[in-house]
Amino acid sequence: MAISAEDAEVGTELPPRTVTLTRADLVRYAGASEDFNPVHWNPRVAREAGMPDVIAHGMLTMALAARTVTDWVRDPGAIVEYRTRFAKPVVVPDDERGTDVEIRGRVGALLDGGQVRVDLVVTSGGAKVLSEARAVVRLAP
C-alpha cells in the first residue's frame, strides 16, 4: 500500500538504507549504463584524474538515493522531480568489503496537491557525497 498524504508530515523519516558497493557492482553498472569511463574501473586512470582510487558512477549514487524514496512511497512513478549535486566521489576500494553508501531522508516540506519534498542525506565514509539532494513526491490521496 502506497504512502498517503495523510501519513506524511514535516519531519517524517524514511527508513534509512545502507548499500555496499564493490568493484563488481561498478562493472555491472558500467555494462547496464554503457558508461565505461576508466575512472570507474582503472586505478591508474582514476589517480591520474586526481581521484584517490576508482570511484562509483555518480548516476549510480543518485539512483541509490532515489530508490530509497521509491521504496518508501512504494510507487516508482510517484517522483515528480529529483535533483542533486555531486559533493564528493564515492571511492570503491579493490577488496571484498567495498564501501558503504548510507542514505537517510525526511519530509522537508508539505506541498500543494498531495506532494511532499523529501530531503536526502547521502554519505560514504562519513563524508557527504551528494548535496542538495531532494525529491518531490506525489503521495496517494
Side-chain angles (χ1 to χ4, degrees), residues 92-113:
V92 181
D94 186 16
D95 61 21
E96 292 179 17
R97 168 78 177 89
T99 194
D100 288 338
V101 176
E102 290 130 9
I103 304 118
R104 291 177 291 127
R106 70 176 201 72
V107 174
L110 302 177
L111 307 173
D112 292 335

Side-chain angles (χ1 to χ4, degrees), residues 56-70:
H57 302 72
M59 298 306 281
L60 173 57
T61 307
M62 283 182 66
L64 296 174
R67 178 71 184 265
T68 302
V69 176
T70 60

Side-chain angles (χ1 to χ4, degrees), residues 40-52:
H40 302 305
W41 57 269
N42 185 317
R44 178 185 51 77
V45 172
R47 287 187 192 103
E48 287 173 358
M51 305 297 170

Side-chain angles (χ1 to χ4, degrees), residues 29-36:
Y29 187 82
S33 67
E34 297 186 359
D35 180 351
F36 297 103

